[in-house]
Amino acid sequence: MSLGELPFLQQLTLVLAAVVLFTSFALLEQARLVAAIHAFAWQGLLVAMVTAIVAASGGYPHLFFSAALTLGLKVLLIPWMLHRLVHRLQLDRHREPLRRPALITMAALALVIFSYWLVLPLVQQELLFTRNIVAVSLAVVLIGLLMMVIRAQAVVQVLGFMSIENGLFLAAVSATGGMPLVVELGVAFDVLVAMVLFGVFFFQISESIDSLDVDRLNSLTERAEEES
Amino acid sequence: MSALSWILILPLAGALLLAIIRNLQWAGWLNVLISTATFIATLALAFTVVEEGVLLSGLFRVDDFNVYLLVLTAFVGMTTTIFSRPYMQHVCDSGRINHRGMRLYHSMFQTFMFTMLLALSTDNLGVLWVSVEGATLATVLLVSLYRTPEAIEAAWKYFILCGVGISLALFGTVLMYSAAQHVIADPAAGLSWSTLYGVASQLEPSIMSLAFVFLLVGYGTKIGLVPMHQWLPDAHSEGPTPMSAVLSGLLLNVALYAVVRLKMLVDGSLAATASPHLAGNLLMGFGLLSFIVAGLFLHRQRDIKRMFSYSSIEHMGLMTFAFGLGGPLATFGALLHMLVHSLTKSAIFITVGHATHIAGTQSIDHIRGLIRTQPAVGWGLLLGVAAIAGFPPFGVFTSEFLLLTATMQSQPWLTLVLLTGLAVAFAGLFRHLHPMVYGPVPEGQQPVSANMLPVAVHLGLVLWLGLSIPDFLARWLDRATELITGVHLL
């Protein structure tokens, strides 16, 4: 079955999932912190829309609740908290240009291809539709990981962490029609607490090294111990 | 109310209460009281399970495997609070942390205990994930409690590495759930371990093996498996000592417990395929690598708590290897090793806490002459290290002997690797230990008020387990072995 023969709502979901992946790339390459936070909020909005459409088309009423939860948490609350933190830390105009952008884009592309390859075993089992979205969500997770590896700015690392959560949520919605409610609430609670703790850490780190460049947190290595 | 609900309500209520109590004296005692009550509740639960068999209710499942870990967790939690009451008071008096820090410590300690007990008693794989992540969140602020630049760095590393690692485990859980949905009609039951275990042979093998890789990397980060172990020595060395004791003694066990439960599902699914031992082989590989690498790293440590955290990685590697090896003998040995390692390692960290207060530093080069300054601490450290290094007649010797025998049976060549690794680790520990215990006493070194009772109790238990495992405990572990491998040993 080709993509064109899918029902309209499923095609729409696929398009939205693809845009989620696109926002992942946008997030990866953003130099300005505020713009990166906006990109993250857009990604959350798209994930919430996918959830709502899956809820409508697949007949999973409890997914409407998940969509609302995502909207409240990932689109409004967390970006708002990050905005406030960035403002209080006076990083509104902070720019953090990417070193070697071409190489990183290539690496991210390779991760997308790798994700599609990894979900090939799902081929006998699942519909074409689900497999695509699982691949996209795995790619979002892996690009989030890549972002945390290459970016040394604490706020950007947190955005990477949160976009990994977005990818996981997308996978849960598309591959399984959402996790049971108690699990979803637990995960949302953990994400919220994590965000609060990240905020605390921003202040602790900037007090400690007078910047949020976590590459400077490097005293605890095996080699440093030998020298001391 | 049942014992199980008390086990979860007590620490949760304690966490809330301790967050608002301003009197630190009371808070310290209340912390001890709550942990003791929790321990008594786990004992009551254990009796119920022994008499009535598996306890299944809604989100929870308690069987012979996890009930023994529940008792162990509550026990170590209790002795750690007994140790930490005067210890943290001393830290507070010395001005390293303020009153708010103490309240945070007490409250987060109980939150941590709650997440551990929830992770052990739940039947739902999603709740398991949520509580293991919750354990990270509860401990991350404790690692940075002293607010030194090193502590903040360690906490950030811990947060990021464990947070990312554990999110990969969530992806694995989602994949497992999607595999379950083709088999189980009721979607709400798709994350229930008991239900999944019943239909394990019908779960799609390709999805399950992909899921297991993600789950192993995720929970393996928390076990401290090499190469995902980077956070562990930092978090242990920079956090307060009672935290190191429960991280090493309990958190690593719980993560390993999760992996073993998931391996049981994957083994069931892969049984009929061409590679039935995929999960076991992965565990053996990661376990052996951690065991060897950590043993080598022991030699180059300068910080006493860092050294013992590498020792924890080494032992977790050994247990992971043993669970991967499978079979009743190796599994029995691994279960026993989990028990004796937790008891010994938390005793060692408690002693190390006192030793660092005596010497005023964590640097191995500057801790000298403990046995002459304060014989109780010196002997505690000496005996603790002798026990963890696997000297007879301590219990670690028994479990390692069982593991070696099991390896000899199924993978004879690996016995050599294990023996070499044990010898390397032994040398690594003792080359540092000898001068710390016997070396010349630095001028002006004074004894501190030390509470060695928990250490004596732990080491006494480990000695008892080495001399003769009591019959009821042997049968208990045997039933857990039967649950995991399907075959019983005794």
Side-chain angles (χ1 to χ4, degrees):
Chain A
M1 186 160 93
S2 78
L3 289 176
E5 294 164 26
L6 288 171
F8 170 71
L9 280 178
Q10 293 198 352
Q11 291 195 33
L12 184 62
T13 318
L14 275 179
V15 172
L16 286 175
V19 186
V20 170
L21 186 58
F22 172 75
T23 53
S24 245
F25 275 87
L27 197 56
L28 182 69
E29 315 254 324
Q30 250 355 293
R32 279 185 59 220
L33 286 184
V34 177
I37 294 171
H38 288 162
F40 169 74
W42 278 109
Q43 190 178 49
L45 183 65
L46 288 161
V47 171
M49 281 162 73
V50 171
T51 314
I53 293 173
V54 171
S57 66
Y60 303 105
H62 75 277
L63 273 187
F64 281 117
F65 176 75
S66 313
L69 195 68
T70 312
L71 190 73
L73 197 65
K74 302 262 180 63
V75 186
L76 302 173
L77 190 59
I78 289 180
W80 176 74
M81 284 165 83
L82 279 169
H83 253 295
R84 244 172 58 114
L85 287 168
V86 164
H87 186 68
R88 280 175 61 189
L89 289 162
Q90 297 169 344
L91 291 170
D92 303 59
R93 307 213 161 265
H94 184 79
R95 282 181 60 89
E96 181 99 354
L98 204 59
R99 271 167 283 171
R100 302 169 192 262
L103 191 67
I104 288 164
T105 314
M106 299 283 271
L109 279 175
L111 287 177
V112 176
I113 294 166
F114 174 70
S115 314
Y116 269 88
W117 175 79
L118 210 57
V119 298
L120 279 181
L122 299 176
V123 73
Q124 304 93 350
Q125 280 272 320
E126 310 275 333
L127 296 165
L128 185 61
F129 162 66
T130 320
R131 184 155 58 96
N132 266 306
I133 299 197
V134 173
V136 165
S137 45
L138 184 58
V140 171
V141 170
L142 292 178
I143 291 175
L145 272 176
L146 177 71
M147 190 166 154
M148 298 184 70
V149 173
I150 54 167
R151 304 295 290 266
Q153 221 276 344
V155 180
V156 185
Q157 285 199 342
V158 171
L159 286 172
F161 182 89
M162 292 292 165
S163 85
I164 291 177
E165 289 287 337
N166 273 345
L168 292 171
F169 189 77
L170 190 63
V173 167
S174 56
T176 67
M179 306 274 255
L181 193 62
V182 55
V183 178
E184 219 153 81
L185 282 176
V187 173
F189 178 72
D190 276 354
V191 169
L192 186 63
V193 174
M195 189 56 236
V196 173
L197 293 184
F198 277 128
V200 174
F201 269 99
F202 288 163
F203 288 102
Q204 290 191 359
I205 292 173
S206 65
E207 239 173 65
S208 154
I209 56 172
D210 208 24
S211 127
L212 278 180
D213 181 358
V214 287
D215 264 3
R216 290 202 217 157
L217 291 173
N218 57 5
S219 58
L220 289 173
T221 61
E222 294 300 333
R223 202 183 307 133
E225 263 183 293
E226 275 195 346
E227 285 161 5
S228 63
Chain B
M1 264 194 296
S2 68
L4 180 60
S5 35
W6 279 114
I7 289 174
L8 297 172
I9 290 170
L10 279 169
L12 193 60
L16 298 174
L17 207 58
L18 287 167
I20 51 172
I21 288 188
R22 288 177 177 277
N23 187 320
L24 292 184
Q25 289 286 336
W26 290 11
W29 282 111
L30 189 65
N31 201 18
V32 176
L33 189 72
I34 291 167
S35 305
T36 314
T38 314
F39 173 59
I40 292 169
T42 56
L43 279 183
L45 182 68
F47 277 116
T48 322
V49 171
V50 166
E51 284 192 355
E52 294 169 18
V54 180
L55 189 79
L56 259 175
S57 67
L59 280 177
F60 300 99
R61 176 201 168 94
V62 185
D63 54 29
D64 290 307
F65 181 22
N66 56 6
V67 81
Y68 114 89
L69 286 171
L70 279 169
V71 174
L72 176 68
T73 302
F75 178 72
V76 175
M78 177 180 76
T79 49
T80 308
T81 51
I82 294 175
F83 152 72
S84 85
R85 192 190 55 80
Y87 181 89
M88 291 311 284
Q89 194 64 50
H90 180 94
V91 171
C92 185
D93 292 341
S94 68
R96 289 180 77 182
I97 58 174
N98 55 19
H99 274 236
R100 280 185 62 197
M102 285 291 282
R103 261 161 66 195
L104 182 75
Y105 166 79
H106 283 132
S107 173
M108 284 301 146
F109 187 91
Q110 288 299 335
T111 313
F112 172 73
M113 291 308 293
F114 169 73
T115 56
M116 292 285 90
L117 295 166
L118 179 63
L120 285 172
S121 57
T122 187
D123 182 43
N124 185 303
L125 297 178
V127 176
L128 173 69
W129 184 89
V130 170
S131 45
V132 173
E133 166 83 356
T136 314
L137 300 174
T139 42
V140 74
L141 279 184
L142 292 184
V143 173
S144 75
L145 195 63
Y146 292 154
R147 295 291 181 90
T148 58
E150 288 81 16
I152 289 168
E153 176 185 343
W156 181 257
K157 215 190 243 181
Y158 174 46
F159 201 177
I160 293 289
L161 267 175
C162 281
V164 169
I166 206 79
S167 59
L168 292 179
L170 184 59
F171 194 78
T173 310
V174 168
L175 283 177
M176 221 173 235
Y177 186 46
S178 80
Q181 287 202 324
H182 296 280
V183 183
I184 301 169
D186 175 21
L191 281 173
S192 153
W193 186 87
S194 308
T195 315
L196 285 174
Y197 191 58
V199 296
S201 58
Q202 302 166 44
L203 297 171
E204 170 65 29
S206 57
I207 302 185
M208 289 299 275
S209 40
L210 183 61
F212 186 72
V213 172
F214 278 100
L215 288 162
L216 178 62
V217 172
Y219 288 116
T221 313
K222 285 244 122 159
I223 306 179
L225 294 179
V226 174
M228 293 90 75
H229 69 289
Q230 304 287 347
W231 63 272
L232 196 146
D234 295 349
H236 280 63
S237 62
E238 301 305 326
T241 303
M243 218 55 235
S244 322
V246 287
L247 280 182
S248 250
L250 305 179
L251 178 71
L252 311 186
N253 269 358
V254 171
L256 184 60
Y257 159 83
V259 169
V260 174
R261 283 267 165 177
L262 295 162
K263 173 178 179 281
M264 289 164 75
L265 296 180
V266 178
D267 279 350
S269 158
L270 293 182
T273 60
S275 55
H277 300 299
L278 177 81
N281 290 342
L282 277 172
L283 286 186
M284 278 167 69
F286 271 111
L288 209 54
L289 181 70
S290 315
F291 177 70
I292 300 290
V293 170
L296 290 172
F297 267 107
L298 275 176
H299 284 263
R300 47 188 293 182
Q301 296 312 311
R302 296 284 177 98
D303 181 304
I304 183 166
K305 281 164 84 178
R306 245 183 127 77
M307 177 172 88
F308 286 115
S309 57
Y310 273 104
S311 158
S312 292
I313 299 177
E314 181 217 339
H315 285 275
M316 293 321 285
L318 189 62
M319 287 175 233
T320 310
F321 170 79
F323 279 120
L325 201 59
L329 187 60
T331 307
F332 187 93
L335 290 172
L336 182 63
H337 200 78
M338 260 173 142
L339 181 64
V340 287
H341 173 257
S342 285
L343 290 173
T344 317
K345 192 49 70 61
S346 43
I348 288 180
F349 271 113
I350 291 174
T351 319
V352 165
H354 291 313
T356 52
H357 277 182
I358 293 174
T361 169
Q362 287 180 201
S363 157
I364 291 175
D365 293 340
H366 296 102
I367 301 176
R368 288 288 177 265
L370 288 176
I371 214 158
R372 251 182 284 170
T373 312
Q374 193 162 7
V377 175
W379 277 105
L381 193 61
L382 187 66
L383 289 177
V385 175
I388 205 74
F391 263 108
F394 288 105
V396 182
F397 172 76
T398 319
S399 56
E400 284 181 351
F401 186 78
L402 288 176
L403 295 183
L404 284 171
T405 317
T407 316
M408 200 102 74
Q409 274 178 2
S410 48
Q411 309 273 349
W413 284 104
L414 290 180
T415 320
L416 278 180
V417 181
L418 285 186
L419 280 174
T420 318
L422 286 174
V424 168
F426 169 80
L429 284 171
F430 269 78
R431 67 185 279 189
H432 295 308
L433 177 78
H434 191 266
M436 283 195 291
V437 173
Y438 289 112
V441 181
E443 269 182 49
Q445 184 161 285
Q446 293 295 325
V448 293
S449 67
N451 179 2
M452 294 299 283
L453 180 71
V455 178
V457 172
H458 280 204
L459 291 181
L461 282 173
V462 175
L463 183 65
W464 184 22
L465 288 173
L467 293 173
S468 76
I469 302 178
D471 194 47
F472 76 93
L473 187 66
R475 303 221 163 273
W476 196 349
L477 292 180
D478 194 41
R479 279 198 303 275
T481 310
E482 192 179 354
L483 191 79
I484 298 170
T485 61
V487 190
H488 63 91
L489 183 68
L490 298 177

